[in-house]
Amino acid sequence: MSEILIIDDEPDIRLLIDAILRDEGYTTRNAGTSDDAVAAFRDRKPSMVVLDVWLQNSPLDGIGILQIMKAEAPEVPVVMISGHGTIEMAVNAIQFGAYDFIEKPFKSDRLLLIIQRALEAAKLASENAELRLRVGANSELTGSSAAITGLRHAIEKVAPTGSRVLLSGAAGAGKEVVARMIHAQSKRADGPFVVLNCAILAPERVEVELFGTEAGADPNAQPRRAGVLERAHGGTLLLDEIADMPLETQGKIVRVLQDQSFERIGGSTRVKVDLRIIASSARDLQAAIAAGRFRQDLYYRLAVVPLRVPSLRERREDIPELAALFLKRAAETSGLPPRVLSSEALAALQVHDWPGNVRQLRNVMDWLMIMHPGEAGEAFRADHLPVEIGAHAPRALAIDPLADIMALPLREARDVFETQYLQAQLLRFGGNISRTANFVGMERSALHRKLKQLGIGAEDRAGTG
């Protein structure tokens, strides 16, 4: 819910605006002097501010407060009000960054309309900024495999609860996608979603990015800088690759989780925040705990609900749907004609091990569109694929060149072919008997009998991948 800071030196006006806003479901805070106003703003960033121009017995007037707020948090909209307004005053307020200017006395309907528009404009600006920073970020899991279906159901259960979630899984498997889905299906969906990747920051930078920095003696020379904890207020913070967070910082995060407050670097006032923390790691955190590189108390505070994101080779049956989606996006982004994959290319993709997981598959589809241009609807062949994928796939899909089938009787030759063919198809569909049977055109029970007859066991179905 949006929180609005009301700043006016007249108690009656503060109470009036407070009542109007609370009746509409907004949360409010009040300040009657410039010192209280700046302190309240710095203590916890509001969603927006209603600010009087004239403040009696205060060192700063409304314009001075506006300048401080816009220097420290330009994204927060400020609506100015005054009982002695002039056109020049309104122009000055707008020039210094105010969203709008209202003269007293004002009608409550007009105030509410301007506040609604200001909040909508700020939300839109925030969403656009995030989209520009994170072009192509996914917010949905693609696929119908049992592993992905189970994960979707788990997300639907945990998202509305507000519980902390610890995501594990290999790099590129889609942990951030899962975190975004949890946020989008939560009660904080209208709030910000902020990501801090601990793996790409130097250790000395982690705390600065987390907690932000307090303003220096000269705020113009060294303005206050909000960290991700503050920017995620009212929303969700993803601590990506939490295993790379320095031990000392891990201890401070434990306190943040306990108190929902922290101190900015160089500051002494505790800043209160209301946010949900989701953590993720591609490493084995239990092993990191045993090695003394990760705090056990932090682990148990983060792992209220642990979720594992499966690797791509654990859900090979999702590859055709994923590849088609990435090809479509690549065509839209590049302006190139839409393309498809041949059945041989799809089979090659499905038997690859994908050490880079979904991220690697997406990159390969982008690479195909760039390196092998063609007409709309033209299929990519297996020999179009990168060497590391195409060079090994035929050996898993084709007849063993060492088997001299022409020297065998028909029945034995047929058994050799069927054994290799069915092993390759089982590998392609991740050992899923039903999907394999559907593809090869057999009843499920008939395929079971054929596999038993050829001596293809469970280890052949999964182990060959």
Side-chain angles (χ1 to χ4, degrees), residues 140 249 266:
E140 290 294 333
T249 307

Side-chain angles (χ1 to χ4, degrees), residues 207-222:
E207 291 194 10
V208 172
E209 294 297 325
L210 269 171
F211 305 117
T213 54
E214 193 54 85
D218 180 0
N220 292 324
Q222 185 184 331

Side-chain angles (χ1 to χ4, degrees), residues 24-89:
E24 294 297 316
Y26 294 109
T27 303
T28 61
R29 285 186 290 149
N30 299 304
T33 68
S34 62
D35 288 344
D36 289 346
V38 173
F41 186 83
R42 288 174 172 170
D43 178 56
R44 185 172 69 248
K45 184 181 67 176
S47 302
M48 74 165 293
V49 178
V50 177
L51 172 61
D52 190 12
V53 173
W54 302 110
L55 298 175
Q56 297 294 326
N57 304 316
S58 287
L60 294 174
D61 63 9
I63 296 295
I65 297 172
L66 174 66
Q67 288 177 282
I68 290 175
M69 290 178 173
K70 285 300 169 182
E72 296 187 359
E75 72 279 7
V76 176
V78 179
V79 172
M80 305 291 289
I81 58 175
S82 176
H84 310 283
T86 64
I87 293 176
E88 183 181 1
M89 185 184 295

Side-chain angles (χ1 to χ4, degrees), residues 33 62 129 145 176 180 191 200 269 303 307 328 344 376 408 424 455:
T33 68
S145 62
E176 184 176 331
R180 285 180 175 274
I200 64 175
T269 303
L307 293 180
K328 179 182 177 183
E344 293 82 3
L408 298 175

